[in-house]
Every structure is written in structure tokens, then in C-alpha cells.
Amino acid sequence: MSRSRYSNTDLQIPRSALFWLLGSNVAALLPHSQHLPLWMWGLALFVFIWRGLTHLGRLSYPNRWAKAVAVAAASAAVIVAFDKTFTLESAAAFLIAACLLKLLEMRHRRDGYVVIFLGYFLLGTGFLFDQGILTGLYGILTVWLLTSTLVALHQNSFGHDAGSAQRSRRAAKLAAGILLMSLPLMLVLYLLFPRLAPLWSIALQSGKAKTGLSAEMAAGDIADLSQSDELAFRASFSDGKVPPRDQLYWRALILDNYDGRRWQPSGVTSEVQWYPQSWQPPAEAEGLIRYDIIQESTGETWLFALRGVAAQEDRTGMTMDDRLVARQPLHERRRYQALSWPSVSISEDGLAGLEQRQNLQLPRGRNPQALAWAVQRRAEAGDDASYINALLRHFREQDYYYTLKPPLMGSEEIDDFLFDQRRGFCAHYAGALVFLARAAGIPARVVSGYQGGEWNAADGYLTVRQYDAHAWTEVWLSGQGWVRVDPTAAVAPQRIEFGLERAVAEEGTFLQENLFSPHRFKGVSWLNQLRMEMDSLNYYWQLWVLSYDGKRQKSFLNGWLGLEDYKQGLYVLGGSFGGFFLMASLLVWWRQRPLPLSPFMRSWQRLQDKGLKLGLEPQSGETAANYLHRLAQHCPHQRSLLLWLAAEVNRQLYLPAPDSGRVKQEQRQLIRAMGKIRRQLRRG
Amino acid sequence: MTTPIQRALEQLSAVILGKEEQLKLALSCLLARGHLLIEDLPGMGKTTLSHALAGVLGLKYNRIQFTSDLLPADILGVSIFEREAGSDIGRFRFHPGPVFTQLLLADEINRATPKAQSALLEAMEEGQVTVEGETRPLPMPFFVIATQNPVSQSGTFPLPESQLDRFLMRIQLGYPNEKAERELLEGRDRRTMASNLRPLLTTQELAQLQQQVNSVQASASVLDYVQRIIAFTRYEGGYQYGLSPRGALALLRSAKAWALVDGNRQYLLPEDIQAVLPAVVDHRLAEAADGGAHSVSQRILNSVPVLV
């Protein structure tokens, strides 16, 4: 009766393990909180309350109908919440909903396994969204928690040490041990496992709108972008040649088509030369800048580079309008190198017809006031260069304001901005300048990208965030080619020299909508210090860990291990696996190795071996005397000797010793006698 | 020269045929000052055994037949109001129950309710009984032989683990072998033989023997073996609970008594441990899962090495 009861319980989830299961699942869920719809937390709460009541015996497990309804409702809710789109987020949400419902019906130990493995999987999917160092550390903790749960699931709830706190401690300790032991394996896999293109970057894309530059620009767009402190990219310069801050114009897009409201790329000059066929500056050129960029995913093909760029690696190329682009859209973080020669002249011999026309294009009949004003000013200035300078002087000397909160412009945007409002962000100034240049017959275009960044002197890298987004202009002057002109520098020089924060300090609009951004508190020195340290940690994390891709793996294999490609790497991997398991087995053997035998036991075992050879097998749990008596029957010739030995062994081992000094001597004699008997032993 | 123990064994074997092993265990149990539980079907000679033991050892013998309506007072005794002869004055006088004896046979102990069972168990543990606020010592020695029917039989109240633990040993008698059976059928009535047994020991001699059990020596090697057995039951064997320290002491004490009874030895051999192990541990351990064909103790004997 009692036996069947216990074997049944064996299949149930131990009550103590339930808390582990719920806790570790919450931990695996938390990283997803950013992209989960709110009702999911309601579902989680509902599941936990039901589970708690079940635990207390107040509520039974859901029956089949309740489960069916819950699954249908959760699926419908996911479909509705994500508007029937199939994205990374909706897939993750569906997985999480399923995982929560599994928690509800979990009853037997095998359900526990499913929940734990779902937990591991959930944790893994969390890394599709964020791969920061903190997320990584949190992930390790969660893996520990999940593994402890797996251990706890196997703990006997009616074992000899029933204290639950003690049991939990043992589970956590064992799990930590297991994970530590798997660490070398993890490193080997990280270094040697072939780096395949991740699946999600092919088909399943994140449905979340990326914060970042967009392919077209309306006047207010960049002002919106400047409310974000998200990372855009990080750059480091080789040979320590860091350009001055006012030269850090990171070009991403050329916007040369204006429809009266928006600036867009026309595509006239976006023909790409791919590396290695692309243009390269002469090796002896003065002022070459070599740099290395780790760019966050944008979902677009453009890369960030300084003026006069030359592509430096496969799958990158440069366009006719001096931009660096990638072959595939960046759906994940990418690290690349580039080379720039900022002082190179571009198209100084004149523009091709189509390019010329595109860069003079203006929407017909719009902004008549500005048009007329431009023609008049051009006539006053005499030549193109002095006209552009006059425009900059105009912006600088007249009543123009740089603001993150530009007023809404009327339908004749540029007229309204130039002559009435006179308040605007970089995009307004850039747009207006290009308009005025084109109106006077000078080819001009808007360039968008980032300007400046935060230099980390200690670790030597530049961090560029979304609020560093900027728009400026390029003007074509005969004999000089394309020349960069930044009207913002005329209106708000602080923006270029010190960054946006300083430029809008008076206005107080820096990251106004981002209340808790640590970047708002640059004035608090310890906080800023902490932020910089954290940022630098993240940088190295990206540099050394996250940006380890197929190319870098290959160079690692070549350089460090002398291997040709990942195939050889796979052999090494197999070898490492073998080596690892060999080591592990050796370790296990070493820990369970038999203790060195006492001389008596050695001698005794040899006697038993001899007995075994003669066909008398020792039985498990047999006493020495018993075996010797059986042996005596087996070998009648030595009978008296063996019986004497049995008595002697018993006397040595079990009789209370009167004199400890003689014990050792007697034992030696016994061992000698045993050896002698062994040698004489034979059958029959 | 034969020892009193050997003579006692001879006498007992004449009455209980073909059960030397059980007789030795029962005698060891008595010498180790423990109580004995005999579990077997009715009619296997449980009563005869206890009767014979009492006769051989010269012990005062009482028997209680446990039934489901047995009350504690039926075991311990009651105070009854008695009028003194020729007077109007009376007083309560305690009439001791059957428990006031030296060897008590508690027959079919698991037929009684737990209340009655526990009344006896207090007496077993403390060597005294408390009735109406007055504590009365029991005669020395005090030895209980309880018999119980297999738990699966109807109308039984199984003894809980804690009460089972009070019995030093549990033995089964089992059917006699063919030869013994024939002898039994040919011979005289065993009950009469048992009651006609001549006492071989005085109470003082018995106490001396019990004292002698304590002085049996256990060497370090034997204690190592005992500890390996205990560790096995606690951590490896897959039992619900391991042996308690009391269980461990019981094992050692029984083995010492066995050494005296079996070989008149003043020191312990591992064989002694092995001999008493089934009787001592089988009723104290329960398998956590189905243990297979082997009994609890057999698994220990097979798994724990004697020499390391």
C-alpha cells in the first residue's frame, strides 16, 4: 500500500520545486518586458494566482475546457495586439503566452521539464532583442536559476534532510558547479563553432520601429530623433589620429530631392563601387584617417563614414556621392573598418549632366519670396563662394535661433522659416541653405548623419548617440568640387564644438522627453563617471565579444591556432569535445578513486584474487572468516592453514588489542603468513 | 563445560523444534534488555516460545490477549473501593494488572486499539507504569514478547513506526521443516512441556548475563562496519528514513548479545552484526521505492563491504 503511494509522488512535481519553477520563469520573462503588451502581465498574474491557490488546495487544476479557452484567448490576443503581423515581437509574445499557460497546467515532473526548457529558450530569445553586458550577466544568473530548478525538481521531498532552505542551497550549489564545469565548453563553442548568419536577420524582422535616421527628412524629424539617447555607433581611430570635433561629420545619406516639404535621396548618385574594385586614396596621401566602427543595427544598408571615404572590406562599397554602404541591410550589430581622406577634392572638374540637374532641382513655384531674395543676394555677392559666405553671415548676424522646438511652418516652408519664424533646428537651416544655393544656380544638397559624439579619452573611443543626429549641406563650387557648409555652425557654434546639450542648455530641452536618461545628468560628476565606466564596459563587450563574427573567427583561427577555415575548426571542436569529456571522466574517476589500500587489504585482495582464479568467487558482503572457511572447503590440502588464518584474521581485526605496540608487528606477521598461504594455495 | 546459555538453548530446542536461529535471537533480545516482536500467522508456536522462555529463565509469566475492546486498565490494573472486614470504613486498593510480571506475552498486539497499545508501550519504555497519579515500578527484569498477525489480516491496527521502534527485534517463526514437523506430530504436547520446564537461571544470574552483554568488546573494524551500514541506510540505500542513532545502538547491543549467545565470545565479529541485522533493522526501515525481490536487510548485507 505504502509503496505505490510513494512511487506516485515520485512523478509529481515536488512542492518545494514549484517555487523554483515559478521564480525562474519570471526571471526568464523579465528581459522581455520591454516589448510585451501590458495584458501579458495580467495573464502572468492570473496564472500565478491560480497556481498559488492550487498549491494551497483552494483551487483545482484547470480542466480541459478551461485550458482550451485559455489557449484560444491568448492566441487571439497575441494576433490582435500585434495587428496580425508576424515579427520577432509577436513570435516572442506567443511563446511567452504559451509558456505561461504551460505553468498553469504543469502537474507532473515531465511538465516541469517542458517549463524549464521553455525557460532556457525564452532566455535565448531575449538575446535577439538586447545583447548588452548587463543582459548577458542577467542571462547567466537566470541560467543558474533555471539549472537550480532542474536540480530541485529531482530532489526527494521526503529525504533525510528535509529542511527546505538547506535543500534549496544544495540545489543552487550543485547547479553552480555544473555551470562552472561547462564554462570551458562554452568558450570553445564560442570561439570555434561556425558563425552562421542568424536566422532572424533573414526572414523574421523586428517589427519595432528603429530609432535612427530615416531615408527621408522632413524639417522636424531630426529634432524628434534628438530626444533619444540610444546608441547609434561607436568609433575608434587607429594610430591615435583623432580628428578634431568640428571635423567629425559622419555622413550617412545624401538628400538631394526636395518636394516642398520633404528632402529625399534621388538615387542619381547612388551607384556603388564594391570593395575591392572601389576607389582607394594614394598610400602617401596626407591626413588619411583609419577608423573602426561598431554600428548598431539600423535595418538599412547605409554605414557611417567621414568625408573622402574608401571602402576597406568585403561586403562594403562606396557610392558616387562619397558614402559607405553595405551589401545587406544591417539587421544586427556590425563592426567594420573604413579609411577616409577628408581633404580630397570631389568632382572638382564639374558635375555630370544628370547630377548637375538633380542638385539644382527645386519644386516649381514654391517659396517665391526666398527665390527672389536669393537671386538678389547672388547678384550682390559677385561670385558663388562669397554668396554662400554671405548667407552664413546672414544666419549668424540676423535674429536666427537654434531650437529643439521649432514652430510649425506654413505651406511655403522656407519663406516662413527665413522671413517670419526664424527659429529652427539643423534640418531647417540645412534645407534653407540648399534652397537658397539652388535658387542662385549653385548645385547643393542636404547631408544627414551624425555630428560629434562623446570621446572617451581613457579608452580611446567615440560614442555617437541618436541625439548627435545632424543635417548639414554640401555645395558644389567650381574648382573646389563639393564643399561642406554647415549653417548650424553659424547659428549655434556650440552645437558643433560641444554638442547638442550645450547648444540647447538655455532652452532646457535636452532629452526633455527622456526624463530618466543618465545623459541628462552629465553635470553630476560621479553619476557621469559611472555612466562613462558602464559605457566603456559595454564598448569592450561589443568590441571583444559581440563583434566576433565569421570574418574575425577566421582571422582568429588563422592567427592564433594556425587553422585555415572553420572546417579545421570543427575538427578542433570535435577534438576539444573529446578532450573535455576525457578530462571530465578523469576528474570523476579521480574524485571517486579508491582510497589507497592498507597493506592488510592489499594482501587480502591478492588472496581473494588467487581464490577467484581457483574458482571460488567472493560474495558481496561476505566476512573474511566466512570466505576463508569456504576456501578451506574448496582447497582441502590447505584446510588447516586456512582455518588457522581465519582465526588469526578475526583475532587481528576484531579482538580488542591488549598492547598497541605489538599490533603492528603482529599485523606484519599476519600479512607475511597470508602471502605464504596464497603462494601455496592450489585446488584439490 | 556448558554455559547456562547453552543449557537454556538446549532446553528450548527440545520444546520448539527446528528453530535454533529464532531461539538464539529471542534469547539475545532478552539478554540485550530488549523487547521482542514476533510476527507470524496464528498457530506457529509464538505462545509456546514465550512460555518456554519464561520457564527456562525462571521468570514470572503473564499473558494478555489483545482484543479490539481491551482498555488500558485491563493491562495496567485498577483501584477498587474495598470495605475493610467488619468495618464501615473502606478505601481504594490497587489491583495490579497483568503487566506486573517479568515476562509478558502481549498476544496479537495489533488487534487492540492504539490507546491500549500505547498503555503497554509506556511500560516497555519506562519500566514503570503510572496509574491514577501514582508511579509503580515494574518487576525486574521486564521483558515483553508481543505477537502480531501479518498486517494484511482483517481487524488489525498496525503499529506506527515510532512504536515498532520500541521493539529491539522483530522475528518470524515460519513453518517448521519436515523433520521437525514429524517430531512435533509424534511427540508430546508442547504447551505442557513448556510449562514443565525447569528454571535454569536465577534472576541474579540473568542480570549478570545482561551485564556481561554490555562488556562485550567491539573493535574499531567492527564499529567501522556498523557505521558503513548506518551510512548506507541513510544516504545510499534508497530508504524513506535511515537508521536512527537508537536503531544503531540497538544493532550493536543485539550483536553483542548474539556474540555471547552464539559463541560465548567476549568480542564482536562482523558475523554477529550480520546475524542480527534482519531482526533489528527490517521493522525500522522502509523502502522509498519498490526495493525488488530482496528484503531490506538483505540489500544491506549485499551492498555494504565488510572489509575496506
Side-chain angles (χ1 to χ4, degrees), chain B residues 159-166 246:
Chain B
L159 293 173
E161 285 91 342
S162 59
Q163 299 195 351
L164 276 177
D165 198 36
R166 302 273 196 274
R246 179 159 66 191

Side-chain angles (χ1 to χ4, degrees), chain A residues 101-120:
Chain A
L101 291 176
K102 186 72 202 171
L103 273 180
L104 190 57
E105 73 155 7
M106 165 180 76
R107 188 167 196 164
H108 297 288
R109 193 181 268 183
R110 60 170 181 277
D111 300 322
Y113 292 140
V114 173
V115 165
I116 291 171
F117 292 129
L118 272 177
Y120 284 119

Side-chain angles (χ1 to χ4, degrees), chain A residues 2-3 6-7 10 156 158-160 597-598 600-601 604 620-626 649-656, chain B residues 217 219-222 225 234-235 240-241 267-271 274 287-292 301-302 304-308:
Chain A
S2 63
R3 284 192 179 163
Y6 284 115
S7 63
D10 215 28
N156 212 337
F158 38 78
H160 38 83
L597 291 174
S598 64
F600 169 77
M601 277 310 286
W604 171 247
S620 54
E622 190 176 24
T623 61
N626 197 14
V649 165
N650 267 355
R651 199 172 66 79
Q652 280 276 323
L653 285 178
Y654 304 118
L655 232 62
Chain B
Q217 305 247 24
S219 71
S221 310
V222 167
Y225 181 49
R234 289 180 187 167
Y235 309 120
Q240 283 175 39
Y241 318 93
Y267 58 93
L268 264 185
L269 287 178
E271 281 87 346
Q274 296 187 337
E287 306 268 3
D290 194 350
L301 289 177
N302 287 343
V304 181
V306 182
L307 291 172
V308 165

Side-chain angles (χ1 to χ4, degrees), chain B residues 68-191:
Chain B
S68 56
D69 56 357
L70 190 79
L71 292 174
D74 298 334
I75 301 172
L76 305 176
V78 282
S79 289
I80 295 175
F81 188 79
E82 281 182 359
R83 185 170 298 183
E84 280 178 27
S87 128
D88 280 350
I89 313 158
R91 62 193 185 91
F92 280 97
R93 220 163 70 87
F94 180 68
H95 290 252
V99 75
F100 288 89
T101 186
Q102 289 178 309
L103 195 155
L104 179 71
L105 174 64
D107 215 0
E108 301 193 300
I109 191 172
N110 60 342
R111 289 236 182 266
T113 53
K115 195 174 174 182
Q117 287 172 2
S118 52
L120 178 63
L121 291 160
E122 189 224 349
M124 287 165 62
E125 188 64 13
E126 313 288 339
Q128 62 188 29
V129 290
T130 306
V131 184
E132 286 160 14
E134 203 178 324
T135 303
R136 295 163 207 273
L138 293 170
M140 285 297 287
F142 179 67
F143 184 46
V144 173
I145 298 180
T147 71
Q148 71 172 355
N149 298 314
V151 178
S152 52
Q153 283 208 335
S154 57
T156 56
F157 294 91
L159 293 173
E161 285 91 342
S162 59
Q163 299 195 351
L164 276 177
D165 198 36
R166 302 273 196 274
F167 289 98
L168 184 68
M169 292 188 191
R170 185 185 69 178
I171 60 173
Q172 277 115 27
L173 286 176
Y175 298 119
N177 60 31
E178 213 173 314
K179 187 165 156 269
E181 189 95 66
R182 185 56 171 260
E183 232 177 298
L184 184 71
L185 293 172
E186 285 171 352
R188 286 194 289 142
D189 175 36
R190 298 290 138 179
R191 291 282 174 94

Side-chain angles (χ1 to χ4, degrees), chain A residues 296-313:
Chain A
E296 297 296 304
S297 78
T298 52
E300 306 282 354
T301 55
W302 61 67
L303 304 176
F304 303 120
L306 299 172
R307 187 174 189 277
V309 70
Q312 290 297 300
E313 58 183 62

Side-chain angles (χ1 to χ4, degrees), chain B residues 197-273:
Chain B
L197 281 173
R198 195 164 46 85
L200 291 169
L201 289 173
T202 62
T203 313
Q204 282 77 22
E205 281 172 322
L206 183 62
Q208 240 172 17
L209 281 175
Q210 286 179 332
Q211 201 56 46
Q212 223 177 320
V213 167
N214 286 340
S215 59
V216 169
Q217 305 247 24
S219 71
S221 310
V222 167
L223 290 181
D224 283 346
Y225 181 49
V226 171
Q227 284 198 295
R228 276 197 296 278
I229 288 175
I230 294 162
F232 178 80
T233 65
R234 289 180 187 167
Y235 309 120
E236 289 170 51
Y239 303 109
Q240 283 175 39
Y241 318 93
L243 273 185
S244 62
R246 179 159 66 191
L249 282 172
L251 179 60
L252 190 64
R253 205 145 45 92
S254 310
K256 283 177 170 178
W258 177 270
L260 212 57
V261 169
D262 185 49
N264 194 25
R265 262 180 286 110
Q266 285 299 318
Y267 58 93
L268 264 185
L269 287 178
E271 281 87 346
D272 301 324
I273 309 281

Side-chain angles (χ1 to χ4, degrees), chain A residues 328-399:
Chain A
Q328 255 94 41
L330 269 68
H331 289 306
E332 51 174 349
R333 185 176 294 106
R334 176 159 177 193
R335 183 175 168 194
Y336 52 88
Q337 286 187 329
L339 177 68
S340 280
W341 186 19
S343 52
V344 69
S345 311
I346 298 170
S347 307
E348 72 273 24
D349 300 330
L351 294 174
L354 192 60
E355 191 182 357
Q356 169 100 10
R357 245 175 294 144
Q358 183 60 47
N359 283 303
L360 287 171
Q361 171 270 344
L362 284 178
R364 198 182 300 271
R366 303 288 291 272
N367 304 308
Q369 211 179 339
L371 269 175
W373 189 80
V375 172
Q376 188 196 341
R377 281 302 171 94
R378 171 68 183 81
E380 286 169 13
D383 63 51
D384 288 352
S386 15
Y387 168 62
I388 298 297
N389 280 333
L391 289 180
L392 292 179
R393 201 163 50 243
H394 176 77
F395 284 138
R396 186 158 50 234
E397 287 169 3
Q398 301 291 316
D399 230 7

Side-chain angles (χ1 to χ4, degrees), chain A residues 219 257-263 360-376 387 408-421 427-440:
Chain A
N257 196 54
Y258 184 52
D259 64 359
R261 178 103 353 229
R262 320 189 65 83
W263 290 90
L360 287 171
Q361 171 270 344
L362 284 178
R364 198 182 300 271
R366 303 288 291 272
N367 304 308
Q369 211 179 339
L371 269 175
W373 189 80
V375 172
Q376 188 196 341
Y387 168 62
L408 216 57
M409 306 293 168
S411 59
E412 303 293 329
E413 224 173 27
I414 300 213
D415 279 0
D416 201 17
F417 165 68
L418 276 178
F419 305 113
D420 296 333
Q421 307 286 5
H428 294 95
Y429 290 98
L433 187 84
V434 170
F435 186 92
L436 292 174
R438 287 183 178 183

